[in-house]
Amino acid sequence: MSRMLGHYARLTSRLSDVAAHFAMLAIVLMAGHILLEIILRAFWSTSTFVMDEFVGYEVAAMTFLGLGAALDDKVLLRVNILLLPLKGWARAMAEVLNAVVALAVFGFVTFYLIRQLIRSYERGTTSISILEVPLWIPQGLVVIGLLVFCIQLTGLIAQALHAPEEIE
């Protein structure tokens, strides 16, 4: 059982890494779109007319797709004043409790965002820009990022149960 938990924790880490790579792609796309907008305005006095909308989508994608990797790399902001004195199983159980509470909160948010995504898809809701982007696309990226984050929380639980002495 312990070995399976270790494998599961590694699998969730890989999944978070894949999502983080897509977050990095969103950053590159954002930079490319801004550069395109600058060139269009400087040389041809025109615009794509959707830069602010697309950059907003790319910021959302970058943020939510990177959440799982940020949790896995332990770079999310945490208040460790209560956790630092704990060692071994006490620390692992505190981490499990924190992860379960976070999973409940983010699971609730994700559930409602999935409902909104389905509603947007069924109704054919689009943005109000000239491109009329189907809103389920950027909403889907946010939901995928939150799902990866929730899965990574379960990986954190598995890691705490598998090797409590390795919890930092």
Side-chain angles (χ1 to χ4, degrees):
M1 180 70 166
S2 178
R3 215 173 85 181
M4 283 179 40
L5 290 173
H7 288 305
Y8 180 73
R10 285 189 293 282
L11 178 68
T12 60
S13 289
R14 285 192 212 113
L15 177 64
S16 293
D17 285 344
V18 169
H21 282 85
F22 282 105
M24 289 182 247
L25 177 62
I27 294 171
V28 171
L29 290 173
M30 192 180 346
H33 195 183
I34 292 170
L35 185 60
L36 172 65
E37 192 73 20
I38 290 169
I39 291 170
L40 286 174
R41 289 179 186 206
F43 295 111
W44 292 284
S45 298
T46 189
S47 173
T48 61
F49 302 107
V50 291
M51 182 189 73
D52 54 341
E53 177 185 6
F54 276 39
V55 168
Y57 297 153
E58 292 155 353
V59 167
M62 169 192 67
T63 302
F64 287 96
L65 290 173
L67 273 177
L71 177 66
D72 189 39
D73 294 341
K74 298 185 183 3
V75 294
L76 286 179
L77 185 63
R78 294 172 43 132
V79 180
N80 282 326
I81 194 164
L82 298 176
L83 292 176
L84 287 176
L86 300 176
K87 301 287 182 228
W89 277 102
R91 174 72 183 259
M93 290 305 105
E95 291 287 353
V96 167
L97 179 65
N98 286 338
V100 167
V101 170
L103 188 57
V105 170
F106 282 95
F108 179 78
V109 170
T110 304
F111 172 76
Y112 280 97
L113 288 176
I114 289 171
R115 285 181 56 191
Q116 182 176 351
L117 180 142
I118 292 169
R119 191 177 310 124
S120 293
Y121 180 78
E122 289 174 345
R123 294 179 179 173
T125 309
T126 61
S127 67
I128 58 172
S129 70
I130 59 174
L131 283 183
E132 296 181 346
V133 175
L135 288 181
W136 64 267
I137 296 171
Q139 290 171 346
L141 293 173
V142 169
V143 166
I144 289 169
L146 285 172
L147 286 171
V148 169
F149 182 68
C150 289
I151 292 168
Q152 185 58 48
L153 282 167
T154 65
L156 181 69
I157 294 168
Q159 180 64 30
L161 296 175
H162 169 68
E165 64 281 352
E166 294 177 17
I167 297 292
E168 295 176 11

